[in-house]
Amino acid sequence: MARFGTKSASSPVHVPFRETAGIVEAPIARPIMSFFIKKMPRRMIVQALIALPALSLFRKLPQADTRPSRLDPSQVDPNEIVEVNGWILKRSDLA
Amino acid sequence: MIFDSYEAFRAANFKPRVCILGSGPAGTTIARKLGAAGIPVVVLEAGSREFSDESQDFYRGTTVGDFYFDLDITRLRFMGGSSNHWAGWCRVLDKQDFEPKAWAPDTGWPIRRADIEPYLPEVRDILDLPEFRPDVPVSDDIRWVQLIKSPAVRFAEKFADELDKSQNIAVVLNTYATELAGDGKRVTGAKLWSNGQDAGSFSADYFITCTGGLENSRLLLWSNQRSNGGVVPNAAALGRYWMEHPTFEGGNAILANYGEFEVDAVNEAFFSPTLAAMERLQIMNFGIRLIETPYPGVKSLIADLACTAPDMAEWMSSKLSQNLRCAAQLYVAWEQAPQASNQIELSKTDVDHAGVPRIELHWKKSDLEHRTLLEGLRLFGTTLIEKNLGRVRIADWISNGGDYPTNDETAGHHHMGGTRMGTDVTRSVVDANCKVHGMDNLYVGGSSVFCTSGQANPTTTITALACRLGEHLSKVVAV
């Protein structure tokens, strides 16, 4: 933790971040991670890590769109009912 | 008159024409009807005036199949029966619940809802209920339904005084009818157990078993076994077609305006499918209970929606800032498809203190029921979209076809079937008047006569059927 030098471990405000910092710290010996950590702001790395789980959502979206009638945007019905991640939605909700 | 022992009852030399087994909602209601008609009746109650572990122990049993409650906690064995822990939720079965359904075998009653409707004013008096209100269509598929949360009448408390003062009704406590004897045409007597020992036999012109949706089957199975078929001559369906109301948290809803629905005093509302939707999707009846979600739950739900539909989540978030009441948990209770394999059997290894085999309950939910749960939530979600009322999220385990959770509500403690009503003696035990097929003087009261369960809590229908049976017997016995 001291390596990053931006937050004091003794400050109670930052206690919740200790585990996150540990995760970033662990693979630091690998060259590729080392490159990113040197070149990218720490905030950006954290944001990227937070965004990672959401990427799977985008992978699921095309499933509803793979039917032939959906390939042509002019035929897409915005009121069509779709189920995504358990949610029952109108297609237009996904915009 | 209320007697605390069988000995005290015998000493009073009261001569009843009708013997009712069990003092729960069905037994008490039938006794009051007969007593009011001037017919002398005795109610034999196995338990005492209060709960006791010793009495409950007679109800222990085992379950085979899906997870279910311990059989000695899911019902009560003392005066007033299971009305003593009843929650008081009231609704009569729907009209459509009585109709046969082509997509679900063994559905349909030999009576219609219209046959019990004349008794509903009386039911309201007994259960202290307000007016029953008609359903309100929300869409072609979904209707708002009234589920009355009543003060939960405890039958022993409410009617003890009346029963004690009655000259036509004798309630005998601590008196357990362990078996009925019969010759294939008539019940000739009941073998009794009182104060921890055999208390001899008791006879009357008519017998009515009202010992509950599990115990009626047990008593008749054991009696039939002991009398070589002399109590239930057509026993193919005896103990079978047992049903519950499986109940699980099915997901959540975000509502544009919680005030769109009529809610009760604790901000809950109930919804069921129309018959047209059931027919189209070939599913059973269900009830969706909308429970307001606490504020932190709303926020996490909107965050979840944001991952899938950001604009919709933003709109909902703005609604949240205007009105904190905008999300709900969805609990679903549904109608089980009648299945002969869901049945009550007598244990081959375990007996109670009086030597009566304990229950082995075989209970399993079917694929049709899982489909009812999933399609029901989809119907509700689609209705909210069509009416621009909100959005529904279905729980992952339902969408993914996973196992039922074992830490959820599981079921309603509603024990139905086992001595079902019908005209086909191979698929039913009692006729439309609740008389056991082939027997002249044996009747069954309570939810064990239900052919199908509908989605509504059973006590209201139990009481209506008891009023109807009481009136019928008043005419039969008076002849």
Side-chain angles (χ1 to χ4, degrees), chain A residues 57 83 85-88 93, chain B residues 304 307-308 378 391-392 394:
Chain A
L57 302 177
E83 266 182 62
N85 299 327
W87 285 97
I88 302 171
D93 293 341
Chain B
D304 186 89
C307 296
T308 304
R378 283 174 172 161
R391 299 292 183 268
V392 162
I394 300 175

Side-chain angles (χ1 to χ4, degrees), chain B residues 236-312:
Chain B
L238 181 56
R240 295 182 178 272
Y241 301 100
W242 192 81
M243 299 165 289
E244 246 282 10
H245 288 132
T247 308
F248 289 89
E249 182 174 3
N252 305 86
I254 295 182
L255 304 169
N257 180 3
Y258 204 94
E260 288 287 339
F261 307 119
E262 179 178 333
V263 295
D264 61 21
V266 290
N267 292 322
E268 293 185 3
F270 297 85
F271 302 89
S272 286
T274 60
L275 180 58
M278 289 169 63
E279 279 175 345
R280 188 179 76 247
L281 296 169
Q282 305 210 329
I283 57 174
M284 307 303 289
N285 202 351
F286 62 83
I288 289 182
R289 176 182 169 202
L290 201 84
I291 307 172
E292 185 184 348
T293 301
Y295 181 69
V298 180
K299 284 203 298 187
S300 66
L301 196 56
I302 290 178
D304 186 89
L305 179 62
C307 296
T308 304
D311 288 351
M312 173 58 60

